Amino acid sequence: FHELTGNWGLAIILLVLLIKAVFFKLSEQQYKAGAKMRKLAPRIKSLKERYGGDKQKQQQAMMELYQKEKINPLAGCLPTLIQIPVFFALYYVLMYSVELRHAPFFGWIHDLSAPDPYFVLPALYTITMIATQYLTPTQGMDPTQAKRMKVMPVAFAVLFAFFPAGLTLYYVVNGLTSVIQQWVITRRIERADARAKA
């Protein structure tokens, strides 16, 4: 990709798009499972209210609901697990890549191996994390975990402020394409459900 573009930043963007295309079917399964879980959110909430503190009955009722609706709550986890080794490999490549030293991207980014001087990329990544959280179902999550999830975008913003711009660029493009994929797939499922009800 660098030979094609002559720019390491553009090469990173094209690499992310290629990886997203390769893993598209796996991601689609993950987002479909998430969309179905979002649809069940009101029913899950009513089950929690009905059974109150009886966790065993609550879990049993939820499993019955999942079986009835043919939903596997763990279906969204497998695609993520398969992709993790690729993302870790790219993390180390982009974190320590000699080729990125003093390699400009565009505008204010003159060195992809140095942190973004104006924190634009970390801010963009934070926005993509917030958008991902908005689209991701949170039912079944305990309140403490839900609070931690809300703090994560801020924590990652601070962390990414010190990361090389090339690595942050990779995460921004990856996060943005994930949000777009998730939004499109979720809307497609919602439209199909609306047509089925009509």
Side-chain angles (χ1 to χ4, degrees):
F1 287 136
H2 182 258
E3 284 180 17
L4 283 172
T5 62
N7 184 300
W8 284 108
L10 290 176
I12 290 167
I13 291 170
L14 291 173
L15 178 63
V16 173
L17 295 176
L18 175 66
I19 291 167
K20 295 304 275 185
V22 168
F23 286 121
F24 179 78
K25 280 293 172 191
L26 284 171
S27 299
E28 189 176 34
Q29 288 175 9
Q30 179 184 356
Y31 299 141
K32 278 182 177 176
K36 287 176 181 175
M37 290 294 287
R38 278 174 68 98
K39 206 168 73 172
L40 283 184
R43 290 165 72 182
I44 290 171
K45 188 179 177 184
S46 69
L47 285 175
K48 285 183 176 180
E49 288 169 0
R50 186 187 308 166
Y51 293 107
D54 193 337
K55 293 285 182 188
Q56 190 175 352
K57 281 189 177 177
Q58 190 183 109
Q59 289 296 325
Q60 190 178 350
M62 283 169 66
M63 290 311 292
E64 285 171 8
L65 177 64
Y66 293 147
Q67 284 174 354
K68 184 184 170 187
E69 296 295 330
K70 297 186 176 90
I71 292 175
N72 180 357
L74 300 176
C77 299
L78 182 62
T80 304
L81 291 174
I82 292 169
Q83 295 176 57
I84 283 173
V86 175
F87 294 134
F88 269 114
L90 283 168
Y91 168 83
Y92 284 107
V93 167
L94 294 171
M95 188 74 165
Y96 304 109
S97 182
V98 175
E99 290 83 4
L100 298 183
R101 291 187 191 279
H102 307 293
F105 176 38
F106 81 94
W108 71 98
I109 299 174
H110 305 292
D111 183 357
L112 285 166
S113 68
D116 181 337
Y118 299 111
F119 310 111
V120 174
L121 291 175
L124 286 173
Y125 185 69
T126 304
I127 292 166
T128 62
M129 277 193 79
I130 292 166
T132 302
Q133 286 184 359
Y134 175 75
L135 291 169
T136 304
T138 56
Q139 61 273 5
M141 193 182 289
D142 71 74
T144 307
Q145 190 180 359
K147 283 177 187 172
R148 283 187 194 141
M149 291 294 285
K150 286 178 182 173
V151 173
M152 275 181 67
V154 178
F156 273 93
V158 173
L159 188 67
F160 275 73
F162 299 100
F163 277 9
L167 179 63
T168 310
L169 176 66
Y170 162 73
Y171 276 99
V172 167
V173 177
N174 183 61
L176 188 61
T177 51
S178 294
V179 166
I180 292 167
Q181 276 184 338
Q182 191 172 0
W183 186 83
V184 168
I185 291 164
T186 303
R187 292 297 165 268
R188 196 188 304 160
I189 290 166
E190 286 174 357
R191 281 197 298 270
D193 288 344
R195 280 196 299 269
K197 286 176 184 175

